[in-house]
Amino acid sequence: MGVITYVLDWNKYEDAPAKRVADHYYVISLADIDKVVEIIKEEGIDGVITGFTDSYLKYYAEICSRSGLPCYGTAEQFEILSNKHLWKKYCRQYNVPTVDEYSHEEVLADNARVKYPLLVKPSDNSGGRGVMICHDREDYIKAYDQALDYSPSKTVLTERYMVGTEATAFWLICNGNVHLIGLGSRLIGAKQDGVIGLPVGYSFPAENLDSYENNVFPHIKKMFEALKIDNGLIFMQNIIEDDVCHVYDIGYRLTGSLEYKILENLYHYNPLKMLINFAITGEMHEREWDESIITPYWCKYAYNVTISAKPGRIGRIDGVDLIKNLSGVFDVQYNHIAGEEIPRQSKGTLDQVVLRVFCVVDDEDRIWHIIDKIREYFKIMDEEDHDMCLPIFDVDKLYLRRQIYP
């Protein structure tokens, strides 16, 4: 894009892959806003962007405000859409289905309304951090204390643990126009010792897309309009019960599923690049463009195959070059490389994700071959040559015979 890039955070150079490819970098905490603003002014920086982690957003908003630079959201919007108690309140107000929740007092009192198992999580964290499944009151007390440790505001959300098919909706807002840009089936792997299962892939379009657009889209559009969201990218994770998508997580930011890679491959627009453009110019797009190309009814089958590893230090990763050369695979994304450690406390979080493989195919049968080859080629081994790879998803759960749209 021809942009000179500065990367700034508190990670050391050797622990920050982005700093190795940036034009310039600083080892400074985002919380040191005075210093960050000083650097922006000294270097003549034209725009600021962040993503992938909710906790950065409040700093991003203040840095932009004090530097006089464009920010795609307001501090209030970021607070609402990164705090589970607050956005669930808005969902209920605008008839957007969400998951039932219980108060701490109800659970401790063994209220008859409380139905186990429960899902306990910090109200203001992301990436699966501090999230636990509880089967009884004793489990709950332990999980509640753990979730508190992960919550900056020391608030915890307790919900009914729902089991069912998952789907993630992706929304793009440009100059106040709300677009549903994709609905993908979120495929979940086996649970690991009481923590939530991790995603093993996304497949697009989800089989319940028509129902979602007809029954849920209008309510969400009104909610976003009420929040006066003018620009940006929003994802909503849902669990489906009785053909109804119940929202259980929201992010007003870029997400690690990197769906913008697929959108650029299919339709030649990229929400990440649009957000970078907004950061510099205050506009999501450089010029007039045809928003009619934005559709959730994708013209091909698309997949994000997500591969995770058990905690440990990675000795080697094999087979990625072979996977890249498979017909239908157009990109791969490393989250970890050889030599890096996945700590034990990361179990059940997205820090276990090692590789994402992005595929676009005309024929759904093709994905069978790609998955088989990924299973054959891909290896994650620790330093003692033990297999670290968690199971790759079962293609039988993926084979849906979904409709593809012209």
Side-chain angles (χ1 to χ4, degrees):
M1 294 179 69
V3 176
I4 296 171
T5 305
Y6 292 70
V7 171
L8 185 154
D9 61 31
W10 62 11
N11 292 307
K12 298 176 183 177
Y13 176 84
E14 56 269 24
D15 297 329
K19 287 177 179 172
R20 300 175 204 166
V21 297
D23 297 294
H24 308 277
Y25 71 89
Y26 291 88
V27 181
I28 297 170
S29 169
L30 295 180
D32 189 353
I33 292 175
D34 289 339
K35 184 62 176 176
V36 175
V37 172
E38 180 184 321
I39 290 169
I40 288 171
K41 291 178 179 178
E42 286 179 352
E43 296 291 333
I45 289 170
D46 300 304
V48 177
I49 188 67
T50 188
F52 310 108
T53 303
D54 287 341
S55 58
Y56 296 168
L57 295 173
K58 64 178 181 180
Y59 302 114
Y60 161 63
E62 187 170 351
I63 289 165
C64 288
S65 176
R66 289 177 53 180
S67 303
L69 296 174
C71 183
Y72 68 80
T74 67
E76 182 182 13
Q77 290 165 346
F78 290 138
E79 170 65 15
I80 290 168
L81 292 179
S82 62
N83 185 298
K84 296 173 177 62
H85 284 295
L86 294 178
W87 64 249
K88 289 188 76 170
K89 178 181 176 182
Y90 269 85
C91 284
R92 290 190 291 268
Q93 183 177 343
Y94 287 92
N95 298 312
V96 176
T98 186
V99 181
D100 295 334
E101 62 186 88
Y102 310 112
S103 71
H104 184 50
E105 292 73 23
E106 281 181 302
V107 180
L108 291 181
D110 293 325
N111 189 298
R113 193 175 82 87
V114 177
K115 304 295 183 187
Y116 287 94
L118 305 177
L119 194 68
V120 179
K121 51 191 172 183
S123 66
D124 48 359
N125 211 319
S126 59
R129 299 174 187 88
V131 181
M132 295 288 288
I133 302 167
C134 308
H135 296 277
D136 54 37
R137 193 172 183 273
E138 184 179 351
D139 280 355
Y140 171 77
I141 292 170
K142 293 178 183 177
Y144 185 87
D145 290 340
Q146 178 173 310
L148 274 178
D149 289 340
Y150 280 91
S151 171
S153 66
K154 299 303 177 185
T155 55
V156 173
L157 184 69
T158 302
E159 297 177 322
R160 176 168 67 94
Y161 177 58
M162 298 176 65
V163 178
T165 304
E166 293 198 21
T168 301
F170 300 93
W171 302 82
L172 182 66
I173 299 95
C174 300
N175 298 318
N177 296 321
V178 179
H179 303 279
L180 175 64
I181 59 175
L183 183 70
S185 297
R186 186 172 187 262
L187 306 161
I188 303 298
K191 296 192 295 290
Q192 305 172 76
D193 301 327
V195 297
I196 58 172
L198 295 173
V200 291
Y202 293 80
S203 66
F204 297 88
E207 59 181 344
N208 59 326
L209 174 57
D210 289 334
S211 173
Y212 186 84
E213 185 170 51
N214 292 331
N215 299 318
V216 182
F217 176 91
H219 301 292
I220 292 175
K221 186 172 184 291
K222 287 181 181 178
M223 184 174 83
F224 290 164
E225 289 170 348
L227 288 168
K228 298 181 180 179
I229 296 174
D230 291 326
N231 295 286
L233 186 69
I234 297 176
F235 69 90
M236 306 180 80
Q237 292 178 347
N238 306 268
I239 193 157
I240 303 168
E241 185 177 76
D242 299 327
D243 200 35
V244 176
C245 283
H246 296 76
V247 183
Y248 72 83
D249 201 11
I250 289 178
Y252 186 18
R253 56 174 171 80
L254 295 159
T255 174
S257 55
L258 311 182
E259 71 296 325
Y260 52 78
K261 288 178 174 287
I262 299 174
L263 287 164
E264 185 166 45
N265 182 277
L266 284 176
Y267 293 111
H268 310 296
Y269 75 93
N270 184 324
L272 169 60
K273 291 180 179 178
M274 294 172 74
L275 286 173
I276 294 170
N277 194 76
F278 183 91
I280 297 169
T281 68
E283 298 289 337
M284 293 285 281
H285 212 270
E286 290 181 351
R287 56 190 179 277
E288 289 292 324
W289 69 304
D290 183 7
E291 292 191 19
S292 68
I293 67 170
I294 301 177
T295 175
Y297 293 93
W298 293 7
C299 59
K300 294 185 179 182
Y301 299 103
Y303 301 89
N304 166 349
V305 181
T306 304
I307 308 171
S308 298
K310 304 167 190 173
R313 186 171 295 279
I314 299 172
R316 70 175 203 272
I317 299 173
D318 297 337
V320 178
D321 287 341
L322 293 171
I323 292 169
K324 284 181 183 178
N325 290 327
L326 292 171
S327 174
V329 173
F330 70 89
D331 202 357
V332 300
Q333 176 79 30
Y334 284 98
N335 276 30
H336 292 290
I337 59 174
E340 294 184 351
E341 182 178 8
I342 301 173
R344 187 167 299 279
Q345 60 266 31
S346 292
K347 182 179 281 191
T349 75
L350 295 179
D351 192 37
Q352 288 186 259
V353 174
V354 172
L355 191 78
R356 298 181 191 271
V357 182
F358 298 91
C359 320
V360 169
V361 295
D362 294 301
D363 183 351
E364 196 173 20
D365 287 338
R366 175 67 190 167
I367 198 63
W368 287 77
H369 175 75
I370 292 173
I371 296 297
D372 282 344
K373 289 300 180 183
I374 290 174
R375 289 178 188 276
E376 179 183 343
Y377 296 152
F378 190 74
K379 299 285 186 297
I380 312 172
M381 312 302 289
D382 67 16
E383 293 177 317
E384 297 178 351
D385 218 32
H386 297 136
D387 187 4
M388 295 178 65
C389 193
L390 290 174
I392 297 171
F393 66 74
D394 185 348
V395 289
D396 289 337
K397 296 178 181 177
L398 175 68
Y399 200 61
L400 303 172
R401 283 296 178 191
R402 296 152 296 153
Q403 182 179 357
I404 284 296
Y405 304 87

